Amino acid sequence: MPQAIDSIRPDSFPAPLRDLAAKVRDGERLSEADALLCFTTPHVLHLGRLADAVRRQLHGDVTYYNVNRHINPTNVCVYTYNCKFCSYAALPGEDHAWEMSHEDVYRRAAEQGGNQITELHIVGGLHPDLDMSWYEEMLRGLKERYPSVHLKAFTAIEIGWFAKREKTSIEEVLRRLRDAGLGSLPGGGAEIFHSEVREVICDGKLDADEWLEVHRVAHRMGIQSNCTMLYGHVEKPHHKVDHLLRLRALEDEAPGFNAFVPLAYHPENNYLGLKYHTTGSEDLRHVAAARLVLDNIPHVKAYWVMVTPKLAQVALSFGADDLDGTVVEEHIYHMAGADTQQQLSRDELVRMVREAGFRAVERDTLYNPIQRPVAATAGAAETVAAGGGAA
């Protein structure tokens, strides 16, 4: 039975979790030591009970999803060999490299639903030859063709690259992109903030302080965003605690994060050299820990393309309240070895939520509920599929 937060009985938990349970019941913010316990306790099911109580306190039985599509204009990237965990990026001329034209982007948007969808999620590589005006024109063209679609685009890594390439400030980059049609930022590129990990997996990439600064500036400009953490590679529990606490501190300072997305590392076709995948228990632990530690970030996603639809169902009882959304073509995670299916019908997604004991609610990018007549969900908007890139 789901447990209300005020009915938590700490003495019903294993001894190492009783103080933690009391803090959750009383609405007390978790400390660094508490966060470390979330990542080290063997009692993952009990951790899930606590996270589920918090989730239900915040969102009741609602599970969100949105009707979106992902577009990756290019995978050509100047950091191809810096990011050892990445299976997506390519150098110009490599067999798996691609670069869309503006017309290619507009055609892809049309093929994937046009104004029938509510969001386009656009991320890509750091192309050495595409200046910022190319991206501004792309955004303007999309808004002219699909004025009702929210454009969630460009990770902090891309924003930082634009600023460096244009020799201008983060604020000016964001202002220009917002004027061209940018609605919000996704959360990709955070990986793990700690320098001990970053030096191994993405040396030379935008550092943690710079990533946080992009989102700080965006939030202060009224541009909302998501945040992520890539786990399951070389990081240790204390690295993940540092990561979550830095996100929580930024949200205290400059509110604007909509959702946190834990991202499981996939090991195939990259230079990191690891061969193992995360386990289901690990994936559920990260969802639960995020829900308990990130008390000021409203939503936690169970990104089904990364953890499979079946495990995502379970994650809804471990603190997650969002399954993300809908993309027909997925590149980034399947190039890294993800073997989840590429597509679910909207009916299948809703059934998945209902069978997990929750109520499916369609949302827009900023979590406003959408009332959509059943007949209007036919065609492209009827497809609920795996996304490409961090949400």
Side-chain angles (χ1 to χ4, degrees):
M1 288 289 293
Q3 187 166 17
I5 199 165
D6 57 1
S7 67
I8 290 173
R9 292 176 49 246
D11 60 0
S12 70
F13 287 79
L17 292 183
R18 287 173 187 167
D19 287 345
L20 183 70
K23 284 187 173 183
V24 172
R25 178 198 60 195
D26 297 339
E28 184 177 341
R29 172 165 277 190
L30 300 192
S31 67
E32 181 177 354
D34 297 327
L36 187 62
L37 178 61
C38 291
F39 285 111
T40 56
T41 179
H43 304 293
V44 176
L45 292 178
H46 291 86
L47 198 72
R49 281 176 57 197
L50 292 174
D52 181 57
V54 173
R55 176 248 202 272
R56 291 176 186 275
Q57 178 83 0
L58 292 170
H59 306 294
D61 65 348
V62 169
T63 291
Y64 294 99
Y65 69 95
N66 71 327
V67 178
N68 71 347
R69 296 291 185 266
H70 290 212
I71 296 178
N72 307 120
T74 182
N75 71 333
V76 174
C77 187
V78 298
Y79 287 159
T80 295
Y81 295 115
N82 295 79
C83 295
K84 296 181 176 64
F85 65 87
C86 181
S87 309
Y88 164 81
L91 292 175
E94 289 190 312
D95 289 344
H96 64 293
W98 75 79
E99 176 187 331
M100 292 184 183
S101 67
H102 289 140
E103 290 305 317
D104 291 333
V105 171
Y106 306 150
R107 182 168 55 252
R108 186 65 53 83
E111 292 169 352
Q112 297 194 47
N115 279 315
Q116 292 183 12
I117 63 177
T118 61
E119 173 190 290
L120 282 171
H121 176 121
I122 304 170
V123 299
L126 310 183
H127 197 295
D129 300 323
L130 297 180
D131 63 18
M132 196 173 137
S133 63
W134 189 93
Y135 293 94
E136 290 174 281
E137 184 179 344
M138 178 191 72
L139 293 179
R140 289 192 187 98
L142 286 168
K143 288 303 288 185
E144 288 170 1
R145 289 162 176 80
Y146 312 110
S148 66
V149 176
H150 181 104
L151 302 182
K152 183 173 73 177
F154 311 125
T155 66
I157 309 304
E158 292 169 275
I159 301 298
W161 170 250
F162 295 153
K164 179 179 179 180
R165 197 181 190 284
E166 301 287 320
K167 296 182 175 59
T168 190
S169 67
I170 295 297
E171 184 173 0
E172 176 63 12
V173 167
L174 289 169
R175 184 194 63 76
R176 286 172 57 181
L177 293 173
R178 182 177 62 186
D179 289 348
L182 177 72
S184 64
L185 300 181
E191 324 314 354
I192 292 286
F193 288 146
H194 202 289
S195 59
E196 291 175 356
V197 176
R198 227 166 173 81
E199 287 171 3
V200 175
I201 69 170
C202 55
D203 191 30
K205 190 176 183 176
L206 198 75
D207 68 25
D209 289 338
E210 292 169 317
W211 189 98
L212 291 163
E213 179 64 11
V214 169
H215 287 265
R216 178 182 291 109
V217 172
H219 294 175
R220 287 176 173 168
M221 294 175 65
I223 301 171
Q224 297 182 44
S225 68
N226 289 341
C227 52
T228 63
M229 180 175 72
L230 182 73
Y231 66 89
H233 40 88
V234 302
E235 87 285 355
K236 303 298 182 186
H238 71 277
H239 297 134
K240 291 181 281 201
V241 169
D242 172 76
H243 190 98
L244 294 188
L245 293 183
R246 293 181 76 169
L247 290 174
R248 190 173 75 179
L250 178 58
E251 182 66 8
D252 281 344
E253 175 193 348
F257 286 131
N258 285 317
F260 173 77
V261 193
L263 301 172
Y265 167 71
H266 285 258
E268 282 82 4
N269 305 320
N270 59 55
Y271 303 102
L272 201 52
L274 303 178
K275 301 301 181 186
Y276 53 83
H277 290 263
T278 59
T279 65
S281 179
E282 286 180 278
D283 294 329
L284 294 173
R285 177 195 297 277
H286 285 78
V287 170
R291 183 61 285 160
L292 293 170
V293 175
L294 299 176
D295 53 37
N296 54 0
I297 297 178
H299 304 282
V300 174
K301 292 187 183 184
Y303 193 28
W304 67 264
V305 66
M306 309 233 7
V307 298
T308 76
K310 291 181 179 180
L311 192 61
Q313 279 185 297
V314 182
L316 297 179
S317 294
F318 276 71
D321 65 283
D322 188 358
L323 293 177
D324 195 64
T326 66
V327 180
V328 172
E329 288 184 296
E330 197 284 320
H331 293 296
I332 293 175
Y333 299 113
H334 282 82
M335 289 174 73
D339 58 3
T340 51
Q341 63 199 92
Q342 293 268 6
Q343 181 174 320
L344 291 174
S345 73
R346 185 173 181 274
D347 285 348
E348 286 173 322
L349 182 70
V350 171
R351 180 174 64 87
M352 187 171 81
V353 171
R354 289 174 177 168
E355 289 189 355
F358 294 89
R359 180 162 52 95
V361 173
E362 183 180 346
R363 62 166 175 84
D364 66 12
T365 303
L366 304 181
Y367 285 85
N368 299 301
I370 292 175
Q371 299 297 325
R372 188 192 296 265
V374 174
T377 65
E382 188 68 24
T383 302
V384 175

